[in-house]
Amino acid sequence: MADRDAPIADLATANRILAHEGVVDGFGHVSLRDPDDPGRYLISVSRSPELVDEGDIVTLGLDGAPAGPSAGDDRPLYIERPIHGAIYAARPDVGCIVHNHSLSVIPFGVTGAPLRPVFHMASGIGDTVPVWDIAERFGDTDMLVTGMAQGEDLTRTLADRSVVLMRGHGCVVVGEGLRDTVMKAIYLETNAALLLASRPLGDIRFLSPGERALSWATNTGAGPLKRAWDYWAARAGRAGSER
Ligand code: MN
């Protein structure tokens, strides 16, 4: 069995980081695929991310039920866990998922205005960011992804990309591991704010696909990822990592 203590501690730290950087507030969540079983994932019980500790992390099956070491755990869970289960089932390349309602991203989901990278640190969001509208298939809802059919529909719009916006709700960010995915989620919000600030000044020049790819390769080197993670962890009052 793989070491579970380090990924569980890192996931608790990711919760604190995303809260401290304003990506999540009382709502939103981050999960990590189980290092021991690709058919499971780690996520907090239903708790605000800023308050999450190691003891709050549970193991769920892709159906959203407590599994493995968490089987029988009856603590309340996040309602929107079908987001995580559906994406992990369809995307073997995805090892980490963030769902959030960060504010600067919302205007792009409700207007369809293109949300593409305008600066190098946001290169992880991809060349295009699609918008998923829950009403197209499900009509009037409470806007939340509460069933697997909704999670699977959202996953189809995400397709092979890194980010999908959810009209009138928020977004989902996926990546290989915690650090690159946290980086994408933080800079998605920053990029959206920069776009909103740039638009009144004139035409936008986005990163070209070549610039975006080269930039993301640089940003995700071991050095930059560790440097960023240690910075965010320190700001959130958590220890960095030796790795
Ligand atoms: Mn939500």
Side-chain angles (χ1 to χ4, degrees):
M1 203 166 95
D3 168 32
R4 297 179 76 78
D5 291 344
I8 285 172
D10 285 346
L11 184 55
T13 299
N15 274 271
R16 303 298 187 98
I17 287 172
L18 291 167
H20 193 269
E21 300 302 325
V23 174
V24 295
D25 51 16
F27 299 92
H29 18 88
V30 52
S31 70
L32 186 66
R33 199 187 287 271
D34 189 328
D36 288 318
D37 183 346
R40 298 174 184 164
Y41 62 96
L42 309 176
I43 193 168
S44 173
V45 296
S46 182
R47 197 166 193 211
S48 295
E50 187 155 345
L51 307 176
V52 167
D53 279 323
E54 284 80 345
D56 298 311
I57 305 295
V58 288
T59 305
L60 304 183
L62 299 187
D63 62 357
S70 295
D73 193 320
D74 62 358
R75 287 178 287 177
L77 302 171
Y78 294 127
I79 291 170
E80 293 195 283
R81 54 196 191 282
I83 293 171
H84 302 262
I87 293 173
Y88 285 128
R91 290 279 302 269
D93 59 309
V94 168
C96 179
I97 299 171
V98 175
H99 166 59
N100 73 82
H101 314 146
S102 69
L103 293 182
S104 301
V105 173
I106 303 297
F108 297 88
V110 300
T111 61
L115 178 45
R116 296 168 49 195
V118 285
F119 86 134
H120 68 123
M121 295 310 298
S123 51
I125 70 173
D127 292 315
T128 59
V129 175
V131 179
W132 178 69
D133 185 347
I134 192 170
E136 280 187 16
R137 267 199 60 197
F138 301 97
D140 284 349
T141 64
D142 65 2
M143 306 302 286
L144 304 184
V145 176
T146 55
M148 283 304 282
Q150 292 171 339
E152 288 161 1
D153 198 49
L154 171 69
T155 301
R156 277 190 288 275
T157 301
L158 170 68
D160 62 352
R161 289 171 283 232
S162 290
V163 179
V164 59
L165 306 189
M166 305 158 79
R167 192 268 303 168
H169 178 171
C171 62
V172 179
V173 180
V174 305
E176 291 178 25
L178 268 177
R179 296 179 185 192
D180 61 291
T181 310
V182 165
M183 177 178 272
K184 289 179 188 180
I186 289 172
Y187 286 118
L188 173 67
E189 165 63 22
T190 307
N191 190 79
L194 289 173
L195 253 175
L196 294 170
S198 302
R199 183 65 73 189
L201 305 180
D203 292 339
I204 306 287
R205 183 168 176 190
F206 296 100
L207 264 61
S208 73
E211 288 171 334
R212 193 205 63 73
L214 290 166
S215 173
W216 187 235
T218 295
N219 294 351
T220 51
L225 273 188
K226 175 174 167 31
R227 177 166 151 183
W229 181 266
D230 288 350
Y231 165 74
W232 289 317
R235 282 161 58 86
R238 297 276 297 189
S241 174
E242 296 307 309
R243 289 163 296 126

